[in-house]
Amino acid sequence: MTDVTDSAWLVEETGFGPEGFDRARANYHETIFTVGNGRLGTRGSLEEGHLGQLSGTFLGGVYDGHEVPVIDLVNVPDWLDTAVYVDGVRLDVDTCTVVEHRRVLDLRDGVLTRSTLFEDADGRRTRLETERCASMADRRICALRLTVTPENHDGQIVVETGIDGDRRNLEALPVYPAGTVFDVRTRWEKWALAKHMEQTARSAADTLYLQMRTLDTGVELGFLASTTFATPPVHRAAQQRSERVTERTVHGGAPVRMEKLVAICTSRDPDASGPLPDRCRSALAEQEGFGSAGFDGAGFGSAGFDGAGFDGAGFDGVVAASRAVWEQLWDACACEVVGDERFTRALRFGLYHLLITANPDDPTVNIGAKSLSGEGYRGHVFWDTEIFMLPFFILTQPDTARALLRYRHHTLDGARANSREYGTGGARYAWESADTGREECPQFTPDGANRFWTREEEVHVSADVAYGIFRYVEATGDTAFLHDYGAEVLFETSRFWVDRVAASPAGGYELRQVMGPDEFHSHIDNNAFTNRLAQWHLTRTVALYDELRDRHPDVLAAVATTIGLKPDERDRWQAVAEGIVGPRTVAGVIEQFTGYFDRDDIPITEWDDNDMPRYPKGYHHFNCETTKLLKQPDVVMLNYLLPDEFSAEVKKANFEYYEKRTLHKSSLSPSIHAIIGMEVGDTTRAVQYFERSVLVDLADNQGNTAEGMHIASAGGTWQILVNGFGGLRVLGGRLSFTPWLPGDWQGIRFRLRWRGRPVHVSVDHGHVELLLGGDAGGTEGVLVGGREVTLTAGEPVRVAR
Ligand code: IFM
């Protein structure tokens, strides 16, 4: 087991006795124990499986829509697929008693370690230990190590391991009477299942190879597994049947120790060329020294039977290489609540999940609302990326931020088609996007009972993408990105806005029939958030156009040629930006949309155990239209996103007004109220929202972590640390820190990257300490509590608060 040297880096599951394995929480643990590397995620399911398990491996960008109403992120072949038998009895939680069970996820290197002691009906006790990881150093590689140790017997041990391609996605649960509860063993069996793959090749000899193809999208997926044993098995048989390849090894002595390396290559990998089996083979061969005979044609025998199995780097080598990359990742985003292990662990846990779901090397993929940790929201990409997660990547892992934004450029054709479909020009980003950028948002709830309008009306996502681009360029100075990709996206989305607006009878332009971030109100006109962000988008794009025209005419000419841009379009963007109607304001409170102030004011009077509001009696997700109740922040979100543009009084007035009416029925919501709560002085509420947000998945406080991580909330939680407690805003293009700390905290630390240089920030009750990194001599002007401070690289600065 992992050495417990720093428990603020470790997430654990522990059980003893008859309840040693908590079946009711198995799916929750599968989500939180997901291992991954940005390219793929594998849920933390037990290798041997059990009733009620919801296992899955997901590869970024691998979607399929075969015979389902809405495209799915495909649950691809299971590379873990391993079972152990003792004298013919299978070791699993359905067959045996679990005497002890412990798992530890080490956030430092992404290795999930397990130790389970099983007892069978005849009293034989056998310990099964595993370690697994998805390599960060080579995203094609996954590794598993298995140790089987009999504790009170000398029974025969058989290990079966392979690749299982017989996988299904969950499709829909039939409608049952309200209140129906299913046994945890059978709950997933009630669901209709969607098949998304067919086998295209397989072989089972020295190595195990399975190739599957997604049925509609035609993505080929190659999985090649190679095993080595510390002590040669006495017998080995490779087996194959439809969609599954395995090997069965019989062992003459104990303990049994196996290492399994799996290479996963696909036809959609960037720069992929050559046959998939060859690419998988060379990926394994590159894992220096790993049981080479197992896959080079010399035969399993020489690697597996001569005891030479662990000669080379093997599992440890994969982990060591991966750990070296993890160290760099953590170095860039280290953070801590000083002296508070629980919050530090929870913050790191969120960052771990962000890091394992974003791939800096693939600009054709993005992050789904449940990351690569589950099937919730079918792997679709929302505004969650640009508004909740991108700030973390921009300010700590800018290469990853760049790749995430390039996905928007990659899917621009899909966005163009979306816009055409709704009768406008340019490009309109999908509310729910997958592999092509086409709109994938369902129109109805799965039971058909309720209509969603987000697909048609939540158009602010196009401005959110623009917001992400401008914030990225501001923080990194990466004008090459702007020139090569950003400008085209910004121009095309600006074209969408000028077609989407309607002339107002009172003069100017309106945006009608929209839905703001608060999704309780549909078909509304002039949502303050949407209007203002579209205006900001257009204004910034006009400025960009002018800058390109004046300073980079070649760049402008190239983009203009690509998209057929005419000079008068710029003037139209400006005219619409200047003419978009502003919101009604009463005593500083911005009306969320036209007529909002006239809706029914239904008080929130009850809060749950997490101090989160309950729906007032008689209200639910689909009937708050006529009320002032909000699902999640809308105006308050706007105040946060454009900090330069609203006075302290306006922010306070809006927070106080909308806080009373916000139900926080999205996991995205509390983070924004935490940050603005701190800014306007409602610190009690702010801390409650922080706790809610930071523990959303570890404490499963939404009750649905089983379906996947609330990954936007992890991004929002990082923003609470940095923008809330750290008080970071970018004002007039400069970093500005106005921290606030709860009285019982010692301090916080976090690291940022600003215009190519690291900035280390440390805050306690007396001081803010800042250290600018990078080449000697570099300087950066910042604000601390409103005072100007110049940072010089390598020289720590301590400022009294
Ligand atoms: O994008 C969010 C939305 O704001 C609220 N419902 C869930 C979506 C996906 O996380």
Side-chain angles (χ1 to χ4, degrees), residues 368-370 377 380-385 388 431-432 454 458 460 516-519 621 631-632 665-668 710-712:
K370 297 285 179 184
Y377 287 111
H380 295 180
V381 176
F382 293 71
W383 74 314
D384 303 29
T385 298
F388 289 86
W431 180 242
E432 296 190 25
T454 47
E458 213 159 343
H460 64 82
D518 156 35
E519 295 173 337
H621 186 99
K631 177 179 172 188
Q632 59 193 62
K665 293 303 174 193
S666 162
S667 67
L668 282 55
H710 298 85
I711 197 65

PDB file of all heavy atoms in Angstrom, residues 368-370 377 380-385 388 431-432 454 458 460 516-519 621 631-632 665-668 710-712, ligand 1:
ATOM      1  N   GLY A 368     -15.925  17.287 -20.929  1.00  0.00           N
ATOM      2  CA  GLY A 368     -17.362  17.117 -20.722  1.00  0.00           C
ATOM      3  C   GLY A 368     -17.744  17.502 -19.300  1.00  0.00           C
ATOM      4  O   GLY A 368     -16.895  17.595 -18.412  1.00  0.00           O
ATOM      5  N   ALA A 369     -19.056  17.688 -19.100  1.00  0.00           N
ATOM      6  CA  ALA A 369     -19.529  18.177 -17.791  1.00  0.00           C
ATOM      7  C   ALA A 369     -19.234  17.197 -16.666  1.00  0.00           C
ATOM      8  O   ALA A 369     -19.253  17.584 -15.500  1.00  0.00           O
ATOM      9  CB  ALA A 369     -21.021  18.466 -17.851  1.00  0.00           C
ATOM     10  N   LYS A 370     -18.989  15.950 -16.984  1.00  0.00           N
ATOM     11  CA  LYS A 370     -18.621  14.969 -15.943  1.00  0.00           C
ATOM     12  C   LYS A 370     -17.204  14.468 -16.184  1.00  0.00           C
ATOM     13  O   LYS A 370     -16.880  13.339 -15.791  1.00  0.00           O
ATOM     14  CB  LYS A 370     -19.609  13.807 -15.944  1.00  0.00           C
ATOM     15  CG  LYS A 370     -21.034  14.198 -15.600  1.00  0.00           C
ATOM     16  CD  LYS A 370     -21.196  14.465 -14.133  1.00  0.00           C
ATOM     17  CE  LYS A 370     -22.628  14.873 -13.817  1.00  0.00           C
ATOM     18  NZ  LYS A 370     -22.782  15.227 -12.407  1.00  0.00           N
ATOM     19  N   TYR A 377     -24.386  13.479 -18.471  1.00  0.00           N
ATOM     20  CA  TYR A 377     -24.400  14.475 -19.560  1.00  0.00           C
ATOM     21  C   TYR A 377     -23.731  13.926 -20.830  1.00  0.00           C
ATOM     22  O   TYR A 377     -23.348  14.680 -21.721  1.00  0.00           O
ATOM     23  CB  TYR A 377     -23.750  15.795 -19.157  1.00  0.00           C
ATOM     24  CG  TYR A 377     -24.592  16.606 -18.196  1.00  0.00           C
ATOM     25  CD1 TYR A 377     -24.202  16.793 -16.884  1.00  0.00           C
ATOM     26  CD2 TYR A 377     -25.783  17.186 -18.609  1.00  0.00           C
ATOM     27  CE1 TYR A 377     -24.981  17.522 -15.999  1.00  0.00           C
ATOM     28  CE2 TYR A 377     -26.566  17.916 -17.734  1.00  0.00           C
ATOM     29  CZ  TYR A 377     -26.158  18.084 -16.435  1.00  0.00           C
ATOM     30  OH  TYR A 377     -26.933  18.806 -15.563  1.00  0.00           O
ATOM     31  N   HIS A 380     -20.873  15.546 -22.857  1.00  0.00           N
ATOM     32  CA  HIS A 380     -21.014  16.779 -23.653  1.00  0.00           C
ATOM     33  C   HIS A 380     -20.299  17.962 -22.989  1.00  0.00           C
ATOM     34  O   HIS A 380     -20.195  18.049 -21.767  1.00  0.00           O
ATOM     35  CB  HIS A 380     -22.489  17.125 -23.840  1.00  0.00           C
ATOM     36  CG  HIS A 380     -23.224  16.114 -24.651  1.00  0.00           C
ATOM     37  ND1 HIS A 380     -24.560  16.218 -24.939  1.00  0.00           N
ATOM     38  CD2 HIS A 380     -22.806  14.965 -25.261  1.00  0.00           C
ATOM     39  CE1 HIS A 380     -24.943  15.187 -25.678  1.00  0.00           C
ATOM     40  NE2 HIS A 380     -23.894  14.408 -25.880  1.00  0.00           N
ATOM     41  N   VAL A 381     -19.881  18.867 -23.854  1.00  0.00           N
ATOM     42  CA  VAL A 381     -19.098  20.044 -23.454  1.00  0.00           C
ATOM     43  C   VAL A 381     -20.042  21.244 -23.366  1.00  0.00           C
ATOM     44  O   VAL A 381     -20.814  21.499 -24.291  1.00  0.00           O
ATOM     45  CB  VAL A 381     -18.011  20.313 -24.521  1.00  0.00           C
ATOM     46  CG1 VAL A 381     -17.236  21.578 -24.210  1.00  0.00           C
ATOM     47  CG2 VAL A 381     -17.095  19.101 -24.675  1.00  0.00           C
ATOM     48  N   PHE A 382     -19.955  21.985 -22.282  1.00  0.00           N
ATOM     49  CA  PHE A 382     -20.832  23.137 -22.047  1.00  0.00           C
ATOM     50  C   PHE A 382     -19.984  24.407 -21.866  1.00  0.00           C
ATOM     51  O   PHE A 382     -18.767  24.374 -21.948  1.00  0.00           O
ATOM     52  CB  PHE A 382     -21.643  22.946 -20.763  1.00  0.00           C
ATOM     53  CG  PHE A 382     -22.663  21.830 -20.787  1.00  0.00           C
ATOM     54  CD1 PHE A 382     -22.274  20.506 -20.789  1.00  0.00           C
ATOM     55  CD2 PHE A 382     -24.015  22.108 -20.757  1.00  0.00           C
ATOM     56  CE1 PHE A 382     -23.205  19.470 -20.769  1.00  0.00           C
ATOM     57  CE2 PHE A 382     -24.965  21.091 -20.730  1.00  0.00           C
ATOM     58  CZ  PHE A 382     -24.551  19.769 -20.739  1.00  0.00           C
ATOM     59  N   TRP A 383     -20.670  25.503 -21.485  1.00  0.00           N
ATOM     60  CA  TRP A 383     -19.962  26.732 -21.105  1.00  0.00           C
ATOM     61  C   TRP A 383     -19.101  26.501 -19.872  1.00  0.00           C
ATOM     62  O   TRP A 383     -18.239  27.311 -19.537  1.00  0.00           O
ATOM     63  CB  TRP A 383     -20.960  27.875 -20.850  1.00  0.00           C
ATOM     64  CG  TRP A 383     -21.749  27.775 -19.565  1.00  0.00           C
ATOM     65  CD1 TRP A 383     -22.378  26.661 -19.066  1.00  0.00           C
ATOM     66  CD2 TRP A 383     -21.990  28.811 -18.602  1.00  0.00           C
ATOM     67  NE1 TRP A 383     -23.009  26.950 -17.882  1.00  0.00           N
ATOM     68  CE2 TRP A 383     -22.787  28.258 -17.569  1.00  0.00           C
ATOM     69  CE3 TRP A 383     -21.626  30.140 -18.522  1.00  0.00           C
ATOM     70  CZ2 TRP A 383     -23.219  29.000 -16.468  1.00  0.00           C
ATOM     71  CZ3 TRP A 383     -22.062  30.883 -17.426  1.00  0.00           C
ATOM     72  CH2 TRP A 383     -22.841  30.317 -16.418  1.00  0.00           C
ATOM     73  N   ASP A 384     -19.335  25.371 -19.197  1.00  0.00           N
ATOM     74  CA  ASP A 384     -18.555  25.005 -18.017  1.00  0.00           C
ATOM     75  C   ASP A 384     -17.061  25.167 -18.286  1.00  0.00           C
ATOM     76  O   ASP A 384     -16.297  25.555 -17.401  1.00  0.00           O
ATOM     77  CB  ASP A 384     -18.806  23.533 -17.651  1.00  0.00           C
ATOM     78  CG  ASP A 384     -20.273  23.211 -17.400  1.00  0.00           C
ATOM     79  OD1 ASP A 384     -21.130  23.870 -17.991  1.00  0.00           O
ATOM     80  OD2 ASP A 384     -20.549  22.271 -16.635  1.00  0.00           O
ATOM     81  N   THR A 385     -16.641  24.836 -19.522  1.00  0.00           N
ATOM     82  CA  THR A 385     -15.208  24.898 -19.810  1.00  0.00           C
ATOM     83  C   THR A 385     -14.698  26.325 -19.713  1.00  0.00           C
ATOM     84  O   THR A 385     -13.796  26.625 -18.925  1.00  0.00           O
ATOM     85  CB  THR A 385     -14.926  24.344 -21.218  1.00  0.00           C
ATOM     86  OG1 THR A 385     -15.315  22.971 -21.256  1.00  0.00           O
ATOM     87  CG2 THR A 385     -13.443  24.450 -21.556  1.00  0.00           C
ATOM     88  N   PHE A 388     -15.834  28.146 -16.032  1.00  0.00           N
ATOM     89  CA  PHE A 388     -15.492  27.541 -14.728  1.00  0.00           C
ATOM     90  C   PHE A 388     -14.116  26.878 -14.707  1.00  0.00           C
ATOM     91  O   PHE A 388     -13.415  26.957 -13.708  1.00  0.00           O
ATOM     92  CB  PHE A 388     -16.581  26.546 -14.310  1.00  0.00           C
ATOM     93  CG  PHE A 388     -17.845  27.249 -13.926  1.00  0.00           C
ATOM     94  CD1 PHE A 388     -18.783  27.587 -14.882  1.00  0.00           C
ATOM     95  CD2 PHE A 388     -18.065  27.641 -12.616  1.00  0.00           C
ATOM     96  CE1 PHE A 388     -19.933  28.288 -14.545  1.00  0.00           C
ATOM     97  CE2 PHE A 388     -19.206  28.346 -12.265  1.00  0.00           C
ATOM     98  CZ  PHE A 388     -20.143  28.668 -13.234  1.00  0.00           C
ATOM     99  N   TRP A 431     -24.928  24.651 -27.226  1.00  0.00           N
ATOM    100  CA  TRP A 431     -25.046  24.588 -25.773  1.00  0.00           C
ATOM    101  C   TRP A 431     -24.406  23.282 -25.278  1.00  0.00           C
ATOM    102  O   TRP A 431     -23.729  23.258 -24.275  1.00  0.00           O
ATOM    103  CB  TRP A 431     -26.513  24.704 -25.338  1.00  0.00           C
ATOM    104  CG  TRP A 431     -26.615  24.639 -23.853  1.00  0.00           C
ATOM    105  CD1 TRP A 431     -27.256  23.699 -23.118  1.00  0.00           C
ATOM    106  CD2 TRP A 431     -25.996  25.525 -22.907  1.00  0.00           C
ATOM    107  NE1 TRP A 431     -27.076  23.930 -21.774  1.00  0.00           N
ATOM    108  CE2 TRP A 431     -26.305  25.055 -21.616  1.00  0.00           C
ATOM    109  CE3 TRP A 431     -25.196  26.670 -23.024  1.00  0.00           C
ATOM    110  CZ2 TRP A 431     -25.849  25.684 -20.458  1.00  0.00           C
ATOM    111  CZ3 TRP A 431     -24.740  27.293 -21.872  1.00  0.00           C
ATOM    112  CH2 TRP A 431     -25.065  26.814 -20.615  1.00  0.00           C
ATOM    113  N   GLU A 432     -24.614  22.201 -26.030  1.00  0.00           N
ATOM    114  CA  GLU A 432     -23.947  20.940 -25.708  1.00  0.00           C
ATOM    115  C   GLU A 432     -23.215  20.468 -26.959  1.00  0.00           C
ATOM    116  O   GLU A 432     -23.831  20.209 -27.985  1.00  0.00           O
ATOM    117  CB  GLU A 432     -24.942  19.877 -25.241  1.00  0.00           C
ATOM    118  CG  GLU A 432     -25.638  20.259 -23.957  1.00  0.00           C
ATOM    119  CD  GLU A 432     -26.460  19.136 -23.339  1.00  0.00           C
ATOM    120  OE1 GLU A 432     -26.157  17.955 -23.601  1.00  0.00           O
ATOM    121  OE2 GLU A 432     -27.405  19.458 -22.590  1.00  0.00           O
ATOM    122  N   THR A 454     -32.786  24.984 -23.391  1.00  0.00           N
ATOM    123  CA  THR A 454     -31.393  25.420 -23.408  1.00  0.00           C
ATOM    124  C   THR A 454     -30.794  25.339 -24.812  1.00  0.00           C
ATOM    125  O   THR A 454     -30.016  26.197 -25.213  1.00  0.00           O
ATOM    126  CB  THR A 454     -30.573  24.543 -22.450  1.00  0.00           C
ATOM    127  OG1 THR A 454     -30.883  23.182 -22.688  1.00  0.00           O
ATOM    128  CG2 THR A 454     -30.880  24.865 -21.006  1.00  0.00           C
ATOM    129  N   GLU A 458     -30.039  29.126 -24.917  1.00  0.00           N
ATOM    130  CA  GLU A 458     -28.914  29.511 -24.050  1.00  0.00           C
ATOM    131  C   GLU A 458     -27.721  29.926 -24.926  1.00  0.00           C
ATOM    132  O   GLU A 458     -26.634  29.334 -24.890  1.00  0.00           O
ATOM    133  CB  GLU A 458     -28.573  28.399 -23.047  1.00  0.00           C
ATOM    134  CG  GLU A 458     -28.080  29.032 -21.764  1.00  0.00           C
ATOM    135  CD  GLU A 458     -28.160  28.188 -20.514  1.00  0.00           C
ATOM    136  OE1 GLU A 458     -28.878  27.180 -20.498  1.00  0.00           O
ATOM    137  OE2 GLU A 458     -27.484  28.566 -19.544  1.00  0.00           O
ATOM    138  N   HIS A 460     -25.807  32.419 -24.833  1.00  0.00           N
ATOM    139  CA  HIS A 460     -24.664  33.148 -24.256  1.00  0.00           C
ATOM    140  C   HIS A 460     -23.374  32.358 -24.403  1.00  0.00           C
ATOM    141  O   HIS A 460     -22.280  32.914 -24.285  1.00  0.00           O
ATOM    142  CB  HIS A 460     -24.923  33.520 -22.800  1.00  0.00           C
ATOM    143  CG  HIS A 460     -25.069  32.364 -21.850  1.00  0.00           C
ATOM    144  ND1 HIS A 460     -24.004  31.711 -21.306  1.00  0.00           N
ATOM    145  CD2 HIS A 460     -26.180  31.746 -21.345  1.00  0.00           C
ATOM    146  CE1 HIS A 460     -24.434  30.744 -20.494  1.00  0.00           C
ATOM    147  NE2 HIS A 460     -25.751  30.738 -20.506  1.00  0.00           N
ATOM    148  N   GLY A 516     -30.811  32.883 -19.854  1.00  0.00           N
ATOM    149  CA  GLY A 516     -29.513  33.217 -19.267  1.00  0.00           C
ATOM    150  C   GLY A 516     -28.953  32.029 -18.507  1.00  0.00           C
ATOM    151  O   GLY A 516     -29.546  30.946 -18.494  1.00  0.00           O
ATOM    152  N   PRO A 517     -27.820  32.231 -17.820  1.00  0.00           N
ATOM    153  CA  PRO A 517     -27.261  31.127 -17.030  1.00  0.00           C
ATOM    154  C   PRO A 517     -28.260  30.553 -16.024  1.00  0.00           C
ATOM    155  O   PRO A 517     -28.266  29.361 -15.760  1.00  0.00           O
ATOM    156  CB  PRO A 517     -26.083  31.787 -16.311  1.00  0.00           C
ATOM    157  CG  PRO A 517     -25.671  32.901 -17.214  1.00  0.00           C
ATOM    158  CD  PRO A 517     -26.938  33.415 -17.821  1.00  0.00           C
ATOM    159  N   ASP A 518     -29.124  31.430 -15.480  1.00  0.00           N
ATOM    160  CA  ASP A 518     -30.214  30.943 -14.625  1.00  0.00           C
ATOM    161  C   ASP A 518     -31.202  30.231 -15.534  1.00  0.00           C
ATOM    162  O   ASP A 518     -31.912  30.864 -16.318  1.00  0.00           O
ATOM    163  CB  ASP A 518     -30.908  32.123 -13.950  1.00  0.00           C
ATOM    164  CG  ASP A 518     -32.339  31.767 -13.550  1.00  0.00           C
ATOM    165  OD1 ASP A 518     -32.580  30.606 -13.177  1.00  0.00           O
ATOM    166  OD2 ASP A 518     -33.218  32.654 -13.645  1.00  0.00           O
ATOM    167  N   GLU A 519     -31.292  28.950 -15.415  1.00  0.00           N
ATOM    168  CA  GLU A 519     -32.070  28.203 -16.412  1.00  0.00           C
ATOM    169  C   GLU A 519     -33.533  28.016 -16.018  1.00  0.00           C
ATOM    170  O   GLU A 519     -34.241  27.240 -16.652  1.00  0.00           O
ATOM    171  CB  GLU A 519     -31.389  26.853 -16.652  1.00  0.00           C
ATOM    172  CG  GLU A 519     -30.016  27.044 -17.288  1.00  0.00           C
ATOM    173  CD  GLU A 519     -29.219  25.751 -17.396  1.00  0.00           C
ATOM    174  OE1 GLU A 519     -29.498  24.821 -16.632  1.00  0.00           O
ATOM    175  OE2 GLU A 519     -28.318  25.705 -18.249  1.00  0.00           O
ATOM    176  N   HIS A 621     -37.901  22.131 -10.527  1.00  0.00           N
ATOM    177  CA  HIS A 621     -37.087  22.644 -11.626  1.00  0.00           C
ATOM    178  C   HIS A 621     -37.909  23.249 -12.780  1.00  0.00           C
ATOM    179  O   HIS A 621     -37.478  24.212 -13.408  1.00  0.00           O
ATOM    180  CB  HIS A 621     -36.218  21.502 -12.187  1.00  0.00           C
ATOM    181  CG  HIS A 621     -35.249  21.945 -13.219  1.00  0.00           C
ATOM    182  ND1 HIS A 621     -33.920  22.188 -12.931  1.00  0.00           N
ATOM    183  CD2 HIS A 621     -35.402  22.243 -14.528  1.00  0.00           C
ATOM    184  CE1 HIS A 621     -33.310  22.598 -14.020  1.00  0.00           C
ATOM    185  NE2 HIS A 621     -34.178  22.640 -15.014  1.00  0.00           N
ATOM    186  N   LYS A 631     -32.139  29.511 -10.499  1.00  0.00           N
ATOM    187  CA  LYS A 631     -31.434  28.238 -10.337  1.00  0.00           C
ATOM    188  C   LYS A 631     -29.979  28.499  -9.942  1.00  0.00           C
ATOM    189  O   LYS A 631     -29.412  27.837  -9.090  1.00  0.00           O
ATOM    190  CB  LYS A 631     -31.488  27.466 -11.650  1.00  0.00           C
ATOM    191  CG  LYS A 631     -30.726  26.163 -11.636  1.00  0.00           C
ATOM    192  CD  LYS A 631     -30.849  25.461 -12.979  1.00  0.00           C
ATOM    193  CE  LYS A 631     -29.943  24.253 -13.068  1.00  0.00           C
ATOM    194  NZ  LYS A 631     -29.921  23.673 -14.411  1.00  0.00           N
ATOM    195  N   GLN A 632     -29.372  29.469 -10.608  1.00  0.00           N
ATOM    196  CA  GLN A 632     -27.950  29.758 -10.374  1.00  0.00           C
ATOM    197  C   GLN A 632     -27.690  31.202 -10.786  1.00  0.00           C
ATOM    198  O   GLN A 632     -28.495  31.807 -11.500  1.00  0.00           O
ATOM    199  CB  GLN A 632     -27.075  28.790 -11.164  1.00  0.00           C
ATOM    200  CG  GLN A 632     -27.284  28.812 -12.665  1.00  0.00           C
ATOM    201  CD  GLN A 632     -26.630  27.621 -13.360  1.00  0.00           C
ATOM    202  OE1 GLN A 632     -26.981  26.488 -13.112  1.00  0.00           O
ATOM    203  NE2 GLN A 632     -25.691  27.898 -14.232  1.00  0.00           N
ATOM    204  N   LYS A 665     -29.316  25.313  -7.548  1.00  0.00           N
ATOM    205  CA  LYS A 665     -29.654  23.955  -7.975  1.00  0.00           C
ATOM    206  C   LYS A 665     -28.696  23.429  -9.029  1.00  0.00           C
ATOM    207  O   LYS A 665     -28.963  22.409  -9.669  1.00  0.00           O
ATOM    208  CB  LYS A 665     -31.113  23.890  -8.464  1.00  0.00           C
ATOM    209  CG  LYS A 665     -32.115  24.111  -7.349  1.00  0.00           C
ATOM    210  CD  LYS A 665     -31.943  23.109  -6.220  1.00  0.00           C
ATOM    211  CE  LYS A 665     -32.850  23.403  -5.029  1.00  0.00           C
ATOM    212  NZ  LYS A 665     -32.474  22.619  -3.830  1.00  0.00           N
ATOM    213  N   SER A 666     -27.617  24.125  -9.239  1.00  0.00           N
ATOM    214  CA  SER A 666     -26.536  23.611 -10.060  1.00  0.00           C
ATOM    215  C   SER A 666     -25.283  23.609  -9.201  1.00  0.00           C
ATOM    216  O   SER A 666     -25.080  24.514  -8.380  1.00  0.00           O
ATOM    217  CB  SER A 666     -26.319  24.517 -11.285  1.00  0.00           C
ATOM    218  OG  SER A 666     -25.041  24.270 -11.835  1.00  0.00           O
ATOM    219  N   SER A 667     -24.439  22.600  -9.430  1.00  0.00           N
ATOM    220  CA  SER A 667     -23.193  22.550  -8.644  1.00  0.00           C
ATOM    221  C   SER A 667     -22.250  23.677  -9.042  1.00  0.00           C
ATOM    222  O   SER A 667     -21.262  23.943  -8.367  1.00  0.00           O
ATOM    223  CB  SER A 667     -22.505  21.202  -8.852  1.00  0.00           C
ATOM    224  OG  SER A 667     -22.058  21.096 -10.184  1.00  0.00           O
ATOM    225  N   LEU A 668     -22.533  24.362 -10.145  1.00  0.00           N
ATOM    226  CA  LEU A 668     -21.697  25.484 -10.577  1.00  0.00           C
ATOM    227  C   LEU A 668     -21.930  26.717  -9.716  1.00  0.00           C
ATOM    228  O   LEU A 668     -21.097  27.620  -9.637  1.00  0.00           O
ATOM    229  CB  LEU A 668     -22.014  25.859 -12.031  1.00  0.00           C
ATOM    230  CG  LEU A 668     -21.468  25.022 -13.175  1.00  0.00           C
ATOM    231  CD1 LEU A 668     -21.830  23.552 -13.048  1.00  0.00           C
ATOM    232  CD2 LEU A 668     -21.928  25.560 -14.522  1.00  0.00           C
ATOM    233  N   HIS A 710     -18.401  16.452 -10.702  1.00  0.00           N
ATOM    234  CA  HIS A 710     -18.913  17.785 -11.042  1.00  0.00           C
ATOM    235  C   HIS A 710     -17.687  18.631 -11.359  1.00  0.00           C
ATOM    236  O   HIS A 710     -17.211  19.412 -10.524  1.00  0.00           O
ATOM    237  CB  HIS A 710     -19.699  18.366  -9.877  1.00  0.00           C
ATOM    238  CG  HIS A 710     -20.904  17.551  -9.523  1.00  0.00           C
ATOM    239  ND1 HIS A 710     -20.854  16.466  -8.692  1.00  0.00           N
ATOM    240  CD2 HIS A 710     -22.194  17.667  -9.940  1.00  0.00           C
ATOM    241  CE1 HIS A 710     -22.069  15.941  -8.583  1.00  0.00           C
ATOM    242  NE2 HIS A 710     -22.894  16.660  -9.335  1.00  0.00           N
ATOM    243  N   ILE A 711     -17.187  18.453 -12.555  1.00  0.00           N
ATOM    244  CA  ILE A 711     -15.844  18.965 -12.816  1.00  0.00           C
ATOM    245  C   ILE A 711     -15.807  20.497 -12.933  1.00  0.00           C
ATOM    246  O   ILE A 711     -14.803  21.125 -12.576  1.00  0.00           O
ATOM    247  CB  ILE A 711     -15.226  18.254 -14.054  1.00  0.00           C
ATOM    248  CG1 ILE A 711     -13.729  18.456 -14.101  1.00  0.00           C
ATOM    249  CG2 ILE A 711     -15.920  18.656 -15.339  1.00  0.00           C
ATOM    250  CD1 ILE A 711     -12.954  17.820 -12.977  1.00  0.00           C
ATOM    251  N   ALA A 712     -16.922  21.092 -13.362  1.00  0.00           N
ATOM    252  CA  ALA A 712     -16.947  22.565 -13.393  1.00  0.00           C
ATOM    253  C   ALA A 712     -16.865  23.117 -11.974  1.00  0.00           C
ATOM    254  O   ALA A 712     -16.264  24.175 -11.728  1.00  0.00           O
ATOM    255  CB  ALA A 712     -18.209  23.068 -14.083  1.00  0.00           C
TER     256      ALA A 712
HETATM  257  O1  IFM B   1     -23.694  24.007 -17.883  1.00  0.00           O
HETATM  258  C1  IFM B   1     -24.367  23.551 -16.753  1.00  0.00           C
HETATM  259  C2  IFM B   1     -25.542  24.449 -16.511  1.00  0.00           C
HETATM  260  O2  IFM B   1     -25.137  25.766 -16.258  1.00  0.00           O
HETATM  261  C3  IFM B   1     -26.352  23.949 -15.345  1.00  0.00           C
HETATM  262  N1  IFM B   1     -26.741  22.583 -15.550  1.00  0.00           N
HETATM  263  C4  IFM B   1     -25.619  21.674 -15.756  1.00  0.00           C
HETATM  264  C5  IFM B   1     -24.789  22.118 -16.943  1.00  0.00           C
HETATM  265  C6  IFM B   1     -23.602  21.172 -17.130  1.00  0.00           C
HETATM  266  O3  IFM B   1     -22.772  21.214 -16.018  1.00  0.00           O
END
